Amino acid sequence: MVTQEYPVSVVCEVVECARSSYYHRPMVVAEQGLQQAIEAVAAAWPRYGYRRVTHQLRREGWTVNHKHVARIMRERGLQVHRKPKRRTTTDSRHAFPRYPNLVEQLEIVRPEQVWVSDVRRVGAYGIPVEDRRG
């Protein structure tokens, strides 16, 4: 019995698949071991995000993609919660004098006796903007 070898391109044409699919060898990653390694790194460094965790895993010998680490961390709830950025509204470190509060000791007896304003920042076109965030 004589066997004839066909080129890969002919076989792939008959089967209707790309040649790259024939040559593709998927990377086998121990998913459970990787998840445990990610959890261990996240427990050791709770402020590490997916980028730092990825680099730490690579230092430990894992061949892993940052997108894979991000997906696992998202699924496991291991994402780092960012502190909200606070907008700086006042620079109190200046050489200008601080004026006393003239209304603090004043006894208010009638409506519209005292008008008080607090402008913390000036918006576009020099229009004062009230800051209600507290």
Side-chain angles (χ1 to χ4, degrees), residues 37-38 40-60 62 64-67 69-70 73 78 80:
I38 289 173
V41 171
W45 292 283
R47 300 297 300 168
Y48 273 17
Y50 72 91
R51 290 183 184 108
R52 282 180 159 183
V53 169
T54 303
H55 287 291
Q56 184 62 32
L57 290 171
R58 288 178 182 163
R59 280 187 220 113
E60 293 176 3
W62 288 89
V64 67
N65 186 347
H66 70 279
K67 291 183 270 186
V69 172
M73 288 181 71
L78 299 173
V80 177

Side-chain angles (χ1 to χ4, degrees), residues 108-124:
I108 302 171
V109 292
R110 60 184 169 81
E112 297 192 22
Q113 179 180 349
V114 176
W115 286 55
V116 177
S117 171
D118 181 16
V119 177
R120 295 190 183 174
R121 63 187 172 110
V122 176

Side-chain angles (χ1 to χ4, degrees), residues 12-96:
C12 289
E13 234 178 83
V14 171
V15 182
E16 295 180 356
C17 74
R19 276 187 355 189
S20 60
S21 299
Y22 173 80
Y23 288 110
H24 176 71
R25 300 289 179 254
M27 274 184 38
V28 178
V29 177
E31 186 76 22
Q32 191 66 23
L34 179 61
Q35 288 179 359
Q36 290 173 352
I38 289 173
E39 287 178 2
V41 171
W45 292 283
R47 300 297 300 168
Y48 273 17
Y50 72 91
R51 290 183 184 108
R52 282 180 159 183
V53 169
T54 303
H55 287 291
Q56 184 62 32
L57 290 171
R58 288 178 182 163
R59 280 187 220 113
E60 293 176 3
W62 288 89
T63 304
V64 67
N65 186 347
H66 70 279
K67 291 183 270 186
H68 193 178
V69 172
R71 181 181 54 80
I72 291 173
M73 288 181 71
R74 185 173 49 251
E75 289 171 355
R76 301 289 234 169
L78 299 173
Q79 293 174 311
V80 177
H81 299 287
R82 290 184 178 175
K83 289 169 60 176
K85 290 186 178 181
R86 291 191 52 151
R87 182 174 302 185
T88 305
T89 58
T90 305
D91 181 14
S92 299
R93 298 170 296 173
H94 52 72
F96 301 113

